[in-house]
Amino acid sequence: MQITVFGSTGRVGSRVVRQAVDRGFTVKAVAHEEATFEHSAVTNIVADVLEDDLAEVLEGTDAVISCLGVGNDPLTLLDPPPLYTQGTLNIATKMKEVGLDRLAVISASFVETFERGPLKFRATLPALSLVFKQMEQMEAQLARQSELRWTAVRPGWILEGD
């Protein structure tokens, strides 16, 4: 099976690529900047989900995993780029064009409520509210894509470690 992983150089995306290879998949590792996965099963691809035509990137793919995300830089959090909304919509549109219908995306449990997790985490959530709003809008956009089989993975918090 060949999968395409968008956001492959991020904290989650890089782990998804490694786990996919460990399971015997071939991977197109797509990132905004040059990825450096050195494995025969990985093809590193530079692409911008907001600007580029993704059809060629998606050709030959069996499934797509979107690990798109924004950093924790305060300026970015105040005005996050539309990666979850427009970026995911661009991916879904190109998937339809090339005949793909299976997409998994990273979202967050906080799309539903901020009343989760330890207090020290909940205290930081207001700074992320615009990102969570985009995730909510992303899920609503995907729900309107009747030809797309999609899954939103909603972790409560992503931390380093096993």
Side-chain angles (χ1 to χ4, degrees), residues 1-159:
M1 176 179 234
Q2 179 165 297
I3 63 171
T4 296
V5 178
F6 286 93
S8 64
T9 57
R11 186 172 17 185
V12 175
S14 61
R15 284 165 177 76
V16 169
V17 170
R18 286 195 299 272
Q19 289 179 15
V21 168
D22 289 347
R23 288 173 171 79
F25 299 139
T26 58
V27 179
K28 290 184 181 181
V30 184
H32 191 254
E33 67 276 346
E34 185 69 38
T36 57
F37 295 102
E38 295 182 14
H39 193 284
S40 61
V42 178
T43 302
N44 297 301
I45 299 171
V46 175
D48 183 334
V49 297
L50 298 175
E51 301 291 331
D52 295 340
D53 181 350
L54 304 173
E56 188 175 316
V57 171
L58 293 167
E59 283 293 337
T61 295
D62 297 302
V64 176
I65 301 175
S66 175
C67 301
L68 296 175
V70 298
N72 289 328
D73 166 45
L75 291 177
T76 301
L77 296 176
L78 287 172
D79 187 23
L83 292 176
Y84 297 103
T85 51
Q86 191 59 51
T88 302
L89 186 59
N90 291 348
I91 292 169
T93 300
K94 289 302 174 180
M95 286 177 64
K96 182 179 179 182
E97 285 182 22
V98 300
L100 279 169
D101 71 345
R102 190 68 185 109
L103 172 65
V105 298
I106 301 295
S107 187
S109 66
F110 303 108
V111 165
E112 291 289 325
T113 180
F114 284 178
E115 300 302 316
R116 296 183 178 177
L119 183 57
K120 69 179 184 176
F121 289 149
R122 286 187 283 165
T124 65
L125 295 179
L128 299 169
S129 64
L130 294 176
V131 173
F132 296 141
K133 188 67 170 167
Q134 266 198 47
M135 290 176 174
E136 179 182 11
Q137 292 168 349
M138 169 189 68
E139 289 185 31
Q141 287 174 336
L142 291 173
R144 292 189 294 271
Q145 305 284 326
S146 60
E147 69 286 341
L148 190 65
R149 296 180 305 142
W150 63 279
T151 302
V153 179
R154 289 182 166 180
W157 206 269
I158 300 173
L159 302 170

